Amino acid sequence: MSHPAKASEFLQDAAKAKWHDETLWFVRDKRDTISKTIPEWEQLRELASQIKDNVLANLDHYLVEFEEKAKANGIQVHWAKDAEEHNQIVLSILQNHQCQAIVKSKSILTEECHLNPYLEKNGIEVVDTDLGERIVQFLNQPPSHIVLPAIHLKKKDISELFHEKLHTEKGNEDPAYLTHAARLHLREKFLGAKVAITGVNFGIAETGEFVVCTNEGNADMGVHLADVHIACMGIEKIIPRRKDLGVFLRLLARSATGQPITNYNSHFRSPSLGKEIHIVLVDNGRTDQLAREKFKNSLKCIRCGACMNTCPIYRRSGGYSYGSVVPGPIGSILSPGLDVKKYSSLPFASTLCGSCTDVCPVKINIHEQLYEWRQEITKAQGTNAKSISMKIANGIFAVPFAYQVTGAMMRGALKILPDSITYSGLNTWGKQRDLPETPEASFKDWYKKNRS
Amino acid sequence: MSSREDILAKIKAIPMEESPLPEIPAFDFLIDHKAAFIRAIEANKGEVITKKGLKDFIDINRFEKILSLVNGMESLSTQPLPSDAHELNDLEVAIIQGQFGVAENGAIWLTDENLGLRALPFITEHLVIVLEEKSLVSNMHEAYQRIGAQHSGFGLFISGPSKTADIEQSLVIGAHGAKSLRVVLR
């Protein structure tokens, strides 16, 4: 189903859609406020962008350096060319440890690889431990936002869900009460898990360490109680030096939620005595994207979600309208790289206002790439109703006489045509909008009469 | 060809323009470190207290399960550090030494040598970090300069108690980790 069709579904519940729009704008506003307290904010964005450019230009070199250092630190490094291989590697580690149940903290990569259904099919219980992710997992839904996974749900929905799953009081919608119930439920899971899976925010080539950022502390609760830590990492998450973290950690949380830093920023360098750390380095289409000159910059993304919070389309259509693992503006330039046919409507889910580009902490030219994808997709797809009307308009505008005649005709016609024709399916502009009153005469006629 | 070779070969085959790695300037941060640090911790829903405040906190709440790893404050412990972190599940208060704090965001740097067990600052119900006032640095650039080539198996910036806003964006303190953070600044 296309983005517009799914967006219409989201907009059915007008009150909820309004809340969604305003809540994300509030997060965007917090980002603005805190970014203005840092005088060098723009300089930091420029530095982050340059560091990531350098990474993309030397990715093979940094990956080899990272692997070498990580191995020297006692970390086991695996490489996966695609989602399937990634999932097989994870499963084989679990099987080697006779592990039947795992805890997992937020990892968009494992969503991308559809790891949960794969492991469940192989008899493994997977518990997502980020509160928002646990909520959507109970509902068998994917996250609708990469930082705020359950932002599409209201506390009433969550209260009903927890009453059913965790036997909380019926009708108790207090977020503190519900969070506490989840804390008790997940504490048991943390204490029982032998293997914990996390994503990776940054992998540092210089030291072979990797950094995981959370506010809840769920990643750390999982890995420090388990015997085995599996970290799943896209190959583009590499940064060259430890000191580069100074730039990225200043930008990440401020851009994401408007807080100065996440509560827990854990640097994993080597396993505790008697324990294991595995890193799975995953390509899954990233090298293909790197080879696309116009779109390779999308790999600079640090997954802060700022482009979603600011996007007038995302805020009013919800994460599910995109039908992709990463929604919003950044998802609309990443997803066509994976499957251009399936995601062909996404680059059009934008006003091209450029706000995404303005807030991006690594200065990805998101709106320009959206525009570039439109060119590619239109070339591949041929004509549609809109392009036919544009061709007609082109003919009319090119010939002054034709323009005068059609202008007069339209002024007359719009007055007498029934709405069923004026607002037919061909007039997509007319959906939820009224045409303005047509003037008596054209501006040219008016000028001749009054000013000459 | 293994996936490793396959991925590296694919990257190598892509023509790339050179792009220099930038140097990171020092960025001045000339405000009062202590005041900024306290403001940041409070904004993160933590609290900055004195040594006396710590004693009051323990007395008033009549905590019985306390583990202190801070030099000179060992006597506050009511139990030894176990060998298995699972045994910390009912721990009420952990008291640990922070290496330095960051004024711009309230982050405190800890490594294996401060933690005893890596799970300690997460699994405890309340966390207390003791920090020397003179250890404060201005921002994250200075923080990583301070860390330098330090080699620890695990390092961590903590800036507040465990929190979430996943239910309708309402802030709730105490998601999975410590329900409170107190910093004894001395």
Side-chain angles (χ1 to χ4, degrees), chain A residues 54 60 67 85 129 132 155 183 187 191 215-216 220 225 241-242 250 254 263-265 267 269-270 288, chain B residues 3-4 12 19 22 89 104 118 141 144 148 150 153 155 157 159 161-164 166 168 175-177:
Chain A
N54 174 267
D60 52 337
E67 179 193 38
E85 191 177 11
T129 58
K155 59 187 177 190
R183 177 187 170 99
R187 184 59 75 113
L191 290 167
N215 276 322
E216 297 184 6
D220 288 275
L225 288 170
R241 305 162 298 195
R242 195 180 235 179
R250 293 188 84 191
R254 287 184 173 100
N263 269 354
Y264 302 108
N265 304 269
H267 301 51
R269 184 124 181 213
S270 51
D288 294 334
Chain B
S3 291
R4 178 185 186 276
K12 267 198 184 70
S19 185
N89 190 36
E104 72 161 323
R118 292 179 186 179
H141 310 297
Y144 280 102
Q150 195 184 68
F157 279 112
S159 66
S162 167
K163 67 178 180 184
T164 183
D166 275 344
E168 268 197 23
H176 306 291

Side-chain angles (χ1 to χ4, degrees), chain A residues 279-347:
Chain A
I279 293 175
V280 190
L281 290 166
V282 186
D283 179 350
N284 203 36
R286 285 162 177 76
T287 49
D288 294 334
Q289 191 80 334
L290 189 65
R292 296 181 184 108
E293 180 57 32
K294 286 177 192 162
F295 305 113
K296 67 171 190 218
N297 273 347
S298 59
L299 295 171
K300 288 157 76 173
C301 175
I302 58 170
R303 303 290 192 269
C304 69
C307 60
M308 295 165 202
N309 304 338
T310 199
C311 178
I313 304 294
Y314 177 90
R315 282 186 279 113
R316 293 174 179 85
S317 65
Y320 293 151
S321 64
Y322 294 80
S324 55
V325 173
V326 180
I330 183 69
S332 300
I333 58 174
L334 286 170
S335 310
L338 296 171
D339 185 339
V340 71
K341 209 166 167 197
K342 183 174 174 193
Y343 300 114
S344 65
S345 68
L346 299 193

Side-chain angles (χ1 to χ4, degrees), chain A residues 58-67 79-81 235 281 283 287 290, chain B residues 1-14:
Chain A
N58 302 281
L59 190 55
D60 52 337
H61 160 77
Y62 286 133
L63 282 167
V64 170
E65 186 185 1
F66 177 74
E67 179 193 38
W79 298 70
K81 62 179 183 304
I235 53 172
L281 290 166
D283 179 350
T287 49
L290 189 65
Chain B
M1 199 155 61
S2 76
S3 291
R4 178 185 186 276
E5 266 59 62
D6 190 35
I7 293 167
L8 292 173
K10 272 182 91 174
I11 298 169
K12 267 198 184 70
I14 303 167

Side-chain angles (χ1 to χ4, degrees), chain A residues 167-241:
Chain A
H167 312 295
T168 54
E169 281 168 30
K170 197 171 175 59
N172 191 333
E173 296 177 8
D174 176 20
Y177 170 75
L178 296 171
T179 301
H180 187 68
R183 177 187 170 99
L184 297 178
H185 159 68
L186 287 166
R187 184 59 75 113
E188 290 305 311
K189 302 289 182 188
F190 286 129
L191 290 167
K194 296 284 171 232
V195 179
I197 297 181
T198 70
V200 169
N201 289 93
F202 306 99
I204 295 95
E206 177 185 55
T207 56
E209 72 195 313
F210 62 92
V211 175
V212 179
C213 307
T214 72
N215 276 322
E216 297 184 6
N218 56 316
D220 288 275
M221 277 299 286
V223 299
H224 301 314
L225 288 170
D227 297 328
V228 180
H229 174 184
I230 306 173
C232 303
M233 169 175 163
I235 53 172
E236 83 286 17
K237 294 281 175 191
I238 290 271
I239 57 173
R241 305 162 298 195

